[in-house]
Amino acid sequence: MYSIGQFSVMFQLNKKTLRYYDDIGLFKPAFVDNNNQYRYYKEEQIAVMKEIIRLKDIGIPLDLISKILNSQEDTQITECYDIRLREIEEAQSLLEKQKQLILNYKKQSEYITDKPSFNIEKGYFIEKGFVYYMSINSGMEDIQKNIGLFYENAKGIYLKGSHIFKMNIDENSDSISEIFAYTINEDNDRVRNQVRELCIKVECEEMKLKAEGYQALFEYAEKNSLSIKNIYEKYKMEKGKMSLTILTSIE
């Protein structure tokens, strides 16, 4: 048998780690001396410890390692590999996005030091007509998924122009309440009549100016005693650059 000291040296593990594995039932010693509570391990436990270390090194959590060790099915370890690979790929994707953001910020001015000026326009920018719509209750993090679902459901419907997001500023609701686009089709349960709305709007030539664009609209509305009813966003891609139009209907 091997003492806990020998076993810790053999696997370069802290003795506290081995005691912790014992406490949680992951890896118990083969024998505990009743007189001094010293822990001892058998030779056949070496292979088990190697497996624990291998699984831990690839990021499998201890509770799942315990289930794998107690399972006789090879499919469970394969499923764990697949789950862990997806987690790694998602983490890599997130890190790559963050890397690109940092590189973009370094190329551009990282912070807007001067408050940008916006041209606020007033007019009937939300027109009367039939619109194909999809009601949702979602945050901006799911925007691409919802756009894809919107166009998938709209197959066979003639859409005029790009889609428009109807936003929600209620405290207990997510940021997007609806996606819609104008259509000539009338006979569809997802087509409704859009009323004409008087709006104020601002064009944000860069996405990083979105917050400032909203700020300008809200300040304009307050200064001119205008009551905001609905908020809309229209995105446009030109020459690889995304721009945004923000509209707020008023009364």
Side-chain angles (χ1 to χ4, degrees), residues 9-207:
V9 170
M10 187 184 303
F11 291 102
Q12 297 182 344
L13 289 173
N14 193 301
K15 289 190 282 291
K16 288 182 179 179
T17 300
L18 287 168
R19 294 190 188 100
Y20 176 66
Y21 288 175
D22 182 10
D23 291 340
I24 65 174
L26 174 64
F27 186 77
K28 303 189 79 65
F31 172 73
V32 178
D33 193 316
N34 291 328
N35 296 321
N36 52 28
Q37 298 301 307
Y38 286 177
R39 294 167 170 84
Y40 295 91
Y41 302 89
K42 290 182 178 179
E43 183 176 350
E44 51 263 37
Q45 289 184 282
I46 291 175
V48 179
M49 179 51 68
K50 284 182 177 179
E51 182 69 359
I52 291 173
I53 293 172
R54 186 181 70 83
L55 293 172
K56 190 171 180 292
D57 283 347
I58 63 175
I60 305 295
L62 295 180
D63 59 339
L64 194 51
I65 291 175
S66 181
K67 291 179 182 178
I68 293 170
L69 294 178
N70 293 323
S71 174
Q72 302 299 319
E73 298 180 9
D74 292 336
T75 55
Q76 185 166 14
I77 183 64
T78 302
E79 290 173 0
C80 289
Y81 288 156
D82 292 339
I83 292 171
R84 185 59 186 147
L85 280 173
R86 286 196 295 271
E87 291 175 345
I88 292 170
E89 288 166 358
E90 288 172 1
Q92 287 176 328
S93 177
L94 177 60
L95 288 172
E96 184 59 33
K97 288 179 181 177
Q98 293 173 344
K99 176 184 175 181
Q100 289 303 316
L101 283 173
I102 292 171
L103 293 175
N104 290 339
Y105 291 154
K106 289 182 71 175
K107 290 179 182 178
Q108 305 167 5
S109 55
E110 287 195 9
Y111 302 99
I112 302 170
T113 54
D114 298 324
K115 188 175 179 179
S117 60
F118 293 94
N119 179 33
I120 309 294
E121 297 181 63
K122 185 176 180 181
Y124 288 94
F125 302 118
I126 296 295
E127 301 173 352
K128 180 180 178 180
F130 293 106
V131 295
Y132 178 83
Y133 74 100
M134 183 176 77
S135 296
I136 57 176
N137 191 22
S138 172
M140 293 302 293
E141 65 275 7
D142 295 322
I143 187 171
Q144 293 300 329
K145 180 180 74 175
N146 284 309
I147 292 173
L149 185 59
F150 175 78
Y151 283 103
E152 182 179 341
N153 292 336
K155 287 179 179 177
I157 303 291
Y158 176 74
L159 301 179
K160 298 191 298 181
S162 61
H163 58 271
I164 301 171
F165 290 101
K166 187 175 183 179
M167 312 305 292
N168 198 327
I169 56 175
D170 291 342
E171 184 174 344
N172 297 319
S173 301
D174 286 324
S175 54
I176 307 173
S177 64
E178 186 180 272
I179 307 177
F180 68 90
Y182 286 90
T183 179
I184 59 173
N185 298 75
E186 300 179 33
D187 189 19
N188 190 290
D189 58 359
R190 286 197 176 183
V191 172
R192 64 169 174 81
N193 189 26
Q194 172 65 46
V195 298
R196 190 182 187 212
E197 295 187 51
L198 180 63
C199 303
I200 53 174
K201 78 170 182 177
V202 66
E203 303 282 354
C204 300
E205 294 182 0
E206 297 181 70
M207 292 304 300

